[in-house]
Amino acid sequence: MERLSRTEMTVLAAALLLTAGLILYHAFDAQPLAPVVETFMPSPSESLAQPAPVSSAQAASVQAQREQIPEQTRIAVARPSASDETVPQKQSGLINLNTASQEELMELDGIGEVKARAILTYRLENGAFQSVDELLEVPGIGEKTLAKLRSQVCV
């Protein structure tokens, strides 16, 4: 039997490695990884600039991709909250003061860009809101504004 040349041995080794990789890939029924997008609370030293709003089609696409990832492969991201329970983003149409973005806060009656930033700044400096009444401690929000907001927000 004739000896293989160095080139032939290299090609044969590459083919064997490729074959082994394909066998392992199919043996574990590998699925392509979907990107996981998580939000985070910026530290007080970071700016209050908000990311561009995500369209409902993009959000639905991300949610569909998340549902395809097996539960045991997901990584939980800790978020500061008033309790150990998960804080829903919206609760029966209410905007959550602890998770709302600047744009969401600006949708509220009587809240413009300045007051929305003041709420975000207060949240960054003092942590999650414990109650809706805590809005009175935010500069620029008084009793009248709180009365308007009480039926539109939750914590």
Side-chain angles (χ1 to χ4, degrees):
M1 185 166 182
E2 185 179 325
R3 248 185 107 155
L4 297 175
S5 71
R6 182 176 233 156
T7 304
E8 291 170 327
M9 287 176 34
T10 303
V11 170
L12 183 58
L16 287 173
L17 284 173
L18 179 61
T19 304
L22 288 173
I23 289 170
L24 289 173
Y25 180 83
H26 289 290
F28 290 105
D29 194 28
Q31 297 292 322
L33 295 176
V36 177
V37 178
E38 294 291 339
T39 58
F40 69 97
M41 297 278 300
S43 67
S45 61
E46 294 177 338
S47 74
L48 292 177
Q50 296 294 321
V54 176
S55 72
S56 59
Q58 289 172 325
S61 171
V62 168
Q63 183 61 32
Q65 290 173 350
R66 281 188 182 171
E67 290 170 359
Q68 293 175 355
I69 300 172
E71 188 64 35
Q72 59 269 51
T73 61
R74 293 186 191 165
I75 299 172
V77 175
R79 290 190 179 122
S81 64
S83 68
D84 291 334
E85 299 174 9
T86 304
V87 179
Q89 179 65 21
K90 289 199 176 183
Q91 194 177 63
S92 29
L94 300 177
I95 293 180
N96 189 316
L97 292 173
N98 293 323
T99 58
S101 67
Q102 181 176 344
E103 289 78 18
E104 289 171 320
L105 291 171
M106 289 171 57
E107 293 173 7
L108 298 169
D109 291 336
I111 301 294
E113 184 177 348
V114 173
K115 287 184 183 176
R117 283 186 188 214
I119 292 170
L120 292 175
T121 302
Y122 179 86
R123 189 170 74 193
L124 286 172
E125 292 173 354
N126 300 293
F129 285 90
Q130 301 299 313
S131 71
V132 174
D133 293 329
E134 200 174 335
L135 277 173
L136 289 174
E137 298 177 28
V138 175
I141 296 183
E143 291 286 343
K144 290 181 181 178
T145 306
L146 178 61
K148 281 192 234 176
L149 297 176
R150 196 175 296 280
S151 64
Q152 302 173 51
V153 297
C154 66
V155 290

